[in-house]
Amino acid sequence: LNESPNDSRVAITPNTIKHYQKLGLDVVVEANAGAAAGFSDNDYQQANARVSKDRKEILQNASVLVALN
C-alpha cells in the first residue's frame, strides 16, 4: 500500500516481487506506492505486479498485506 506521504520507505520493491511470486503469490501494488522511494508504477508492472488505484479493492481481496509500521 501507499505509505504516509512523509515516509520515503516502501514495503516491497520491484526487485522483491519475484520472491513473492516464487511462493505462488500474485502481487498487487497500490498506485504510486513506491514513488517516494524512487520506484514508478511502471517499475512494478515490469516486475509482473499489478498496479491498482483502488485501495478498497486491494484490502478486500488481499490474503497477505505487506506494509510498513
Side-chain angles (χ1 to χ4, degrees):
L1 295 175
N2 196 355
E3 302 292 343
S4 162
N6 300 326
D7 200 339
S8 63
R9 299 174 300 165
V10 64
I12 184 172
T13 66
N15 190 47
T16 60
I17 289 172
K18 62 185 170 190
H19 300 292
Y20 290 101
Q21 291 171 334
K22 285 181 184 178
L23 296 172
L25 299 173
D26 294 321
V27 178
V28 181
V29 178
E30 186 176 16
N32 298 312
F39 301 110
S40 70
D41 289 345
N42 189 51
D43 292 333
Y44 286 100
Q45 289 168 328
Q46 287 182 348
N48 296 317
R50 184 170 65 87
V51 175
S52 175
K53 294 180 181 181
D54 189 347
R55 179 178 271 228
K56 184 177 178 180
E57 179 260 336
I58 294 170
L59 292 171
Q60 287 178 338
N61 294 307
S63 296
V64 176
L65 184 62
V66 180
L68 296 173
N69 184 356

